[in-house]
Amino acid sequence: MEYKVEAHRIMSISLGKIYNSRVQRGGIKLHKNLLVSLVLRSARQVYLSDYYSGACLNAQSEREGNEWDITDSEREKFPPSATECDRVESTEEPQPNEQPEKEREYRENDDEVKSDQVDCTSTLQEQNQNSSLDSVAKVSSETPPESITEPKESPSDSAVAERDSTPEANGESHQPPKPHVCSNRKRSAEESESGDSPQKRTKVASSNAKEDEEAEEMDTSNVSNLITIFGSSFSGLLSKESAKPEAEAEDSGQICCDQMLKNLNPWSTAIVAF
Amino acid sequence: MHKNALLCSVAADIISTVEFNSTGELLATGDKGGRVVVFQREQESKNQPHRRGEYNVYSTFQSHEPEFDYLKSLEIEEKINKIRWLPQQNAAYFLLSTNDKTVKLWKISERDKRPEGYNLKDEDGRIRDPTTITALRVPVLRPMDLMVEATPRRVFCNAHTYHINSISVNSDYETFMSTDDLRINLWNLEITNRSFNIVDIKPVNMEELTEVITAAEFHPHQCNTFVYSSSKGSIRLCDMRASALCDNHSKFFEEPEDPSNRSFFSEIISSISDVKFSHSGRYLMTRDYLTVKVWDLNMESKPLETYQVHDYLRSKLCSLYENDCIFDKFECVWNGSDSVIMTGSYNNFFRMFDRNTKRDVTLEASRENSKPRAILKPRKVCVGGKRRKDEISVDSLDFSKKILHTAWHPSENIIAVAATNNLYIFQDKVN
């Protein structure tokens, strides 16, 4: 779903803004940070709404059997009106050899998605083409349970945190699609940076916000810096149970981050863990 | 209406506020570098009738300097957020200027006479040797070249934890209020070491923060009434007679959100960036990102009128979020008779809405079409489809050229428009 892509992109951009506000001249602007955190929260709700709505259909989808034996070309032609809930998910995972094909699809679909970015606010209501992206996303989302033992599988860290919080945690749950699924990253780079994707996206989004939205390959050194920065500040904030407003202006910005953080708990868990 | 360009001045820095005084004789601008420039209108003279009403620089002074809060390790910007004039009571002019943390009262006065003939010091100011003084004389005032000097008379500081976004002088001319994100403080103009907190919306637990105050203003005639706007798109009217702390409003103005317009950015675009009472005191005007609304104080449920400023941006909110333009705080102004309202947009466009005829016009503040006595041509933004010859398409708009601050003369059709670091003054053509 494009709106999931957009939701994730907006989350990354928002995180980047909050991060940048710390180094801004004049101190943290409470109003702007509050608005950014509201956007972040909305985007996250949208992003995760599919997770919960899909989870309740899981039992139903199992009964309906395996409709997963469709070819890639058919996926591409999947009718735009199909919603995710209609999509049948199967616990029989697609074979790994389909993954390279999925990669190709990611990139194709990505270009189309990027051309629609200007209309991202309308993607909430309307459903553009590229529902094949949805099917691809579905496919990829099914892979983590199978590859859970593979430490290199990138979203597994963040997915683990999400999965643990839901009752269906036994490999048959409907996972949220990997965060990086719909971005234009090479697979190998993704797999080597397991658990990094949210932070990487933040960095890339904030630095590339004004360029074309093509996500480049991972820059591992920058990424690790970013993780360090996020890790030190966010985990530090997480450890504070309540905000002490001695330095209120600064804390207000931090508290906004705190607010956001509580919503992003699974991610920050991943950060801290990493 | 035809607008003549009268004057175009370039400031060294980005202009951050523009304000006429109560007679319109003076126009003050504040900029990002903490400077205030005051323009004065030329007196009409019979010798040069064509130079009627031009504004020339009257005084320039550094109002605020950058500061550093050592306790919080925060730099305090010197940018002037607001200027408000006090009504004139004697020959001197007084204005309040504020940055993020400190409000200052400035006195601007003219000096055109100089005392000469002191006994104890000579004309250069050096002390005379007393033994050389043989006679006593009375100093006399002699004319000198006009000098305009600005002196800070009061400094109101250390009362705001958050960033000050508004100041407003009360109609009693004794008090004023300063507003930051969470609190509004009431000051007496004479007393700087004490202020009263009249609104406090800070939650006990900052994590529960959901809205902030974005602007506030006193009623133009009722000294007990003021309004403040919030980031959630609501306006609260408070009466200071009701209680010392005005956390409970007397009136609450809010329009229910249109669910069909819901998006990730609904909250941002509903945040009110400016609120202004009409001169009559009967109406309120609010500006959010895409619209200007006029409210009747007697009707809280919905605005009286809603004007679309640049609705074509509604589909571009995501890009505007990315480049931070969605956080731009546009101001809005009434004309002297409350019949026309004006606000700014992008690409150096500004918009005027006539409340009576329901007609609106888009004008551009740019050097090309602002030669002296040139007439401004209405502009049009083409939303889609076929673009006419002199229309501009939405994608060609320059979002770095934004008009956030405008001012309207209190009684005449003279407007001041700040476009980044240029100030444009336009006047209605008089035949």
Side-chain angles (χ1 to χ4, degrees), chain A residues 19-39:
Chain A
Y19 173 61
N20 287 333
S21 75
R22 291 161 165 262
V23 299
Q24 241 174 12
R25 193 170 173 246
I28 295 171
K29 307 252 186 301
L30 182 61
H31 184 201
K32 183 176 174 186
N33 274 287
L34 179 67
L35 294 176
V36 170
S37 67
L38 291 175
V39 170

Side-chain angles (χ1 to χ4, degrees), chain A residues 131-145:
Chain A
S131 60
S132 54
L133 194 61
D134 304 343
S135 61
V136 168
K138 281 279 129 257
V139 167
S140 70
S141 71
E142 300 309 319
T143 56

Side-chain angles (χ1 to χ4, degrees), chain B residues 50 77 103 183 194 231 291 293 329:
Chain B
H50 62 278
E77 274 190 286
V103 185
R183 298 192 177 101
R194 216 177 326 157
S231 57
T291 69
K293 295 178 180 167
K329 298 198 174 137

